Amino acid sequence: MTPGPARTLAPSAKPAHAPALLVIDMQNALVAMAYRASATVAAIAGLQRRARAAGAPVVLVQQRDEELEPGTEGWRIVPELAPAPGETVVPKAAPDSFLDTDLDAVLRARGVTEVVVTGFATEICVESTARQALSRGYDVVLVADGHTTSVRPGPGPYAAPEASVAHHNEIYRNLRFPGRRTRVLPAAEVDFTGGAPAAG
């Protein structure tokens, strides 16, 4: 049998870069105790405006527990970051925003490949959610000036808030997950247009 012409196999297509903004637990009671609260809210609000203008999904996550009862003023998302009509708010009861929630299904239904992570608190819900996003196959952008933690009452076992934010930014600058892209960017440099992320 005479061999036919060699067949060229097309490389497997990588999904297009499709970012979504994730806003974690920016609720009245939590923002009230946050370090650099007004600056963090302003950075996230700017990201929301740009994501919406680019047509990128904005997904808000809202903690519900015995201290944040649904319907109370403290439980509500701060007015500056309130969801626009049609935007999804995912309720959660654990630091990991994916645990026993619809977050993964919401992101996959929108074709999201990268989550831009913001919110409260850096070393708890932000960290737990960012790490789970990587484990579930998403690329991650941690917004350097878009996450925060609580103000500490004084010297103690916890790192100072500015140290905690800086520490986690540095961890994510050097974190490596096979097949994932992890970046730390200031809010001003986050791109929601869906273009391929720049190398580096």
Side-chain angles (χ1 to χ4, degrees), residues 12-32:
S12 58
K14 186 176 180 180
H17 175 236
L21 176 63
L22 191 59
V23 181
I24 302 168
D25 295 355
M26 292 299 286
Q27 295 158 254
N28 287 321
L30 301 177
V31 172

Side-chain angles (χ1 to χ4, degrees), residues 29-119:
L30 301 177
V31 172
M33 67 175 77
Y35 165 70
R36 293 183 69 251
S38 60
T40 306
V41 168
I44 298 172
L47 289 166
Q48 283 183 323
R49 288 191 294 272
R50 287 163 41 216
R52 290 163 180 159
V58 175
V59 180
L60 298 99
V61 178
Q62 190 174 28
Q63 180 71 22
R64 297 184 178 185
D65 57 31
E66 64 279 0
E67 295 179 6
L68 289 168
E69 289 286 342
T72 63
E73 194 59 33
W75 164 82
R76 300 182 196 284
I77 294 166
V78 295
E80 300 93 327
L81 304 179
E87 288 180 346
T88 300
V89 179
V90 175
K92 71 175 178 66
D96 171 8
S97 300
F98 290 94
L99 181 64
D100 298 329
T101 75
D102 294 331
L103 179 57
D104 193 45
V106 166
L107 296 174
R108 294 195 189 282
R110 290 158 174 75
V112 172
T113 63
E114 177 179 76
V115 288
V116 177
V117 180
T118 67

